[in-house]
C-alpha cells in the first residue's frame, strides 16, 4: 500500500512541475507578444533612450518620439518637459540601422556604450599584435 502512495506523490510532483513549466512558458510568450518582437510587429513609436536617477523619487528621462528627442523631468507629483531636440536625418538613419542590426544579430545585443568599448578593445588588441609583429 505504501508503494501506491509513493507513486501518487510522484505523479502529483510531476504534474505540478509540468504546470509550473507551462506557466513559465506562457508568461515568456506573453511578454514577447507585449513587446511585439514575437509577432514581428514594429517597435513602439516612443522609446526610452536614457534614464538617470537624480534622487529617491526624481529622475530625468530622454525619450525619442517620431523625429524628436525629448528630455523629461519626472518627480512623484508631475512630469515636466525640460527640452526638446530635433533629430537630424543622419541620427535617425543611424538609430534605425542600429535597431535593424540588433534584430538581425540577437546573440550580441550590446548597448552603444558597450559596443564602443568592444570596438576599442579590438583596436587595442590589433595594435598590440602589430607592435609584436614589428619587433
Amino acid at each position: 500500500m505504501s508503494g501506491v502512495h509513493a507513486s501518487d506523490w510522484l505523479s502529483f510532483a510531476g504534474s505540478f512541475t509540468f504546470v509550473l513549466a507551462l506557466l513559465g512558458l506562457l508568461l515568456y510568450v506573453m511578454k514577447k507578444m507585449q513587446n511585439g518582437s514575437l509577432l514581428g510587429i514594429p517597435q513602439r513609436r516612443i522609446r526610452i533612450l536614457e534614464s538617470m536617477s537624480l534622487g529617491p523619487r526624481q529622475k530625468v528621462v530622454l525619450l525619442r518620439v517620431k523625429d524628436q528627442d525629448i528630455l523629461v523631468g519626472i518627480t512623484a507629483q508631475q512630469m515636466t518637459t525640460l527640452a526638446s531636440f530635433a533629430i537630424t536625418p543622419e541620427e535617425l538613419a543611424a538609430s534605425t540601422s542600429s535597431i535593424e542590426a540588433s534584430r538581425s544579430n540577437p546573440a550580441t545585443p550590446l548597448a552603444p556604450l558597450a559596443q564602443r568599448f568592444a570596438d576599442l578593445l579590438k583596436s587595442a588588441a590589433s595594435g598590440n599584435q602589430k607592435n609584436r609583429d614589428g619587433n
Side-chain angles (χ1 to χ4, degrees):
M1 217 167 152
S2 65
V4 173
H5 186 64
S7 68
D8 287 342
W9 276 107
L10 285 175
S11 175
F12 171 75
S15 298
F16 186 68
T17 304
F18 176 74
V19 168
L20 286 179
L22 194 61
L23 181 63
L25 178 66
L26 179 67
L27 289 174
Y28 175 78
V29 168
M30 287 179 64
K31 184 175 180 179
K32 288 294 183 180
M33 287 178 66
Q34 183 181 9
N35 292 345
S37 61
L38 183 67
L39 301 175
I41 298 172
Q43 294 295 320
R44 297 182 179 182
R45 292 180 286 184
I46 298 174
R47 291 190 342 186
I48 297 175
L49 299 178
E50 291 188 43
S51 176
M52 176 185 281
S53 179
L54 302 175
R57 300 177 86 184
Q58 304 167 342
K59 68 169 129 177
V60 176
V61 177
L62 182 61
L63 304 170
R64 178 157 293 167
V65 181
K66 290 189 180 181
D67 59 346
Q68 286 190 332
D69 285 348
I70 302 170
L71 188 63
V72 178
I74 301 173
T75 66
Q77 291 80 24
Q78 68 183 16
M79 295 173 49
T80 306
T81 302
L82 302 175
S84 179
F85 312 99
I87 301 173
T88 64
E90 293 84 19
E91 289 175 326
L92 190 59
S95 172
T96 305
S97 66
S98 69
I99 291 171
E100 292 300 322
S102 68
R103 283 185 189 163
S104 65
N105 191 5
T108 59
L110 296 176
L113 182 60
Q115 185 63 49
R116 281 191 227 148
F117 186 65
D119 292 341
L120 254 166
L121 286 174
K122 287 178 187 175
S123 66
S126 66
N128 288 340
Q129 185 65 29
K130 287 179 185 176
N131 287 341
R132 288 183 201 153
D133 294 341
N135 288 335

